[in-house]
Amino acid sequence: MPSVSRATLAPLSNRARNLGSFLVPPAMAAAGPSVFLLMVNGQVESAQFPEYDDLYCKYCFVYGQDWAPTAGLEEGISQITSKSQDMRQALVWNFPIDVTFKSTNPYGWPQIVLSVYGPDVFGNDVVRGYGAVHVPFSPGRHKRTIPMFVPESTSKLQKFTSWFMGRRPEYTDPKVVAQGEGREVTRVRSQGFVTLLFNVVTKDMRKLGYDTGPLDTRGVSGPSPPQGLPL
């Protein structure tokens, strides 16, 4: 067999390497994103609790296993506010929200859980309302009004005892509000409303195949156009 020197093999291997890099398409050369980002800011704006005053609010986020926060705060507690002196008698907090999440799929989309507290006739802090809502799915500016509720005692005796002792029924973990397990055995009563303002920005969702819908010129999400029709 004829012998081939290393000096002859070196240029051949370099040519093969150059040819291989030339044949790789640009889409494969530059790897696409593996996660998408959800950026949320806004504020817990105000509340309507006609029967109560001097209230404060706590919030926290509940999300699925594939989600992870990358920036901002997952929970917070507002200042105590009193009713406004106008006709609305609104409780205004304007408490800021700012958090960023990353995920690989939309399952377990984040929810914000709200808990409102205030003093009773004995000066004890008791819960005045729980509520939860999903972060809006489409980018843009969104306003949400959340109906609140409170757990109730199962009997009149327990209701009087909890009122007298200053220990009203409440959840040990407010995050249970965003879950369905065990909720069917809980007795609750509607009470008050809280208004939230969201500014939502998403990144790389379309690159991963998720369509959140187009935006109109005002930044409010609209319905997707019918398939097969020109935009």
Side-chain angles (χ1 to χ4, degrees):
M1 292 180 60
S3 60
V4 181
S5 63
R6 292 184 178 178
T8 306
L9 289 175
L12 291 176
S13 60
N14 290 336
R15 289 179 186 176
R17 189 180 301 111
N18 294 335
L19 181 60
S21 60
F22 176 76
L23 293 176
V24 174
M28 294 181 60
S34 59
V35 298
F36 63 84
L37 298 179
L38 174 65
M39 292 158 274
V40 184
N41 63 50
Q43 59 186 9
V44 183
E45 196 173 70
S46 60
Q48 294 283 346
F49 284 88
E51 300 178 5
Y52 305 109
D53 201 359
D54 299 328
L55 305 182
Y56 64 94
C57 176
K58 295 180 181 180
Y59 77 85
C60 62
F61 284 93
V62 178
Y63 44 85
Q65 296 181 353
D66 294 328
W67 291 76
T70 61
L73 297 175
E74 294 183 63
E75 56 185 22
I77 179 171
S78 74
Q79 75 278 10
I80 298 175
T81 187
S82 301
K83 289 181 180 178
S84 59
Q85 301 300 317
D86 57 8
M87 294 279 295
R88 298 183 307 153
Q89 292 190 338
L91 296 151
V92 180
W93 289 301
N94 289 332
F95 189 68
I97 301 170
D98 190 1
V99 65
T100 301
F101 296 97
K102 68 176 181 179
S103 180
T104 56
N105 67 82
Y107 181 77
W109 193 273
Q111 299 181 64
I112 184 170
V113 176
L114 299 174
S115 310
V116 177
Y117 297 87
D120 61 4
V121 293
F122 301 108
N124 302 310
D125 272 357
V126 295
V127 65
R128 295 305 187 190
Y130 292 106
V133 68
H134 279 91
V135 173
F137 299 101
S138 58
R141 185 181 178 90
H142 306 267
K143 196 170 188 176
R144 296 286 187 268
T145 299
I146 307 174
M148 309 294 283
F149 63 89
V150 289
E152 284 221 310
S153 302
T154 56
S155 67
K156 291 184 178 180
L157 177 60
Q158 289 180 343
K159 187 174 183 180
F160 173 77
T161 304
S162 62
W163 174 83
F164 184 76
M165 300 295 294
R167 300 186 64 180
R168 306 291 178 88
E170 62 180 77
Y171 297 115
T172 55
D173 184 6
K175 292 183 178 181
V176 73
V177 175
Q179 302 168 359
E181 299 178 1
R183 289 285 305 279
E184 68 276 1
V185 297
T186 305
R187 188 176 181 180
V188 299
R189 174 171 53 90
S190 297
Q191 182 171 279
F193 298 88
V194 175
T195 301
L196 280 80
L197 190 64
F198 293 100
N199 297 304
V200 179
V201 178
T202 59
K203 184 178 183 293
D204 293 334
M205 287 198 70
R206 288 185 181 274
K207 292 181 180 180
L208 292 175
Y210 301 112
D211 186 6
T212 57
L215 299 177
D216 64 16
T217 55
R218 295 174 297 175
V220 180
S221 58
S224 299
Q227 294 184 357
L229 296 179
L231 298 177

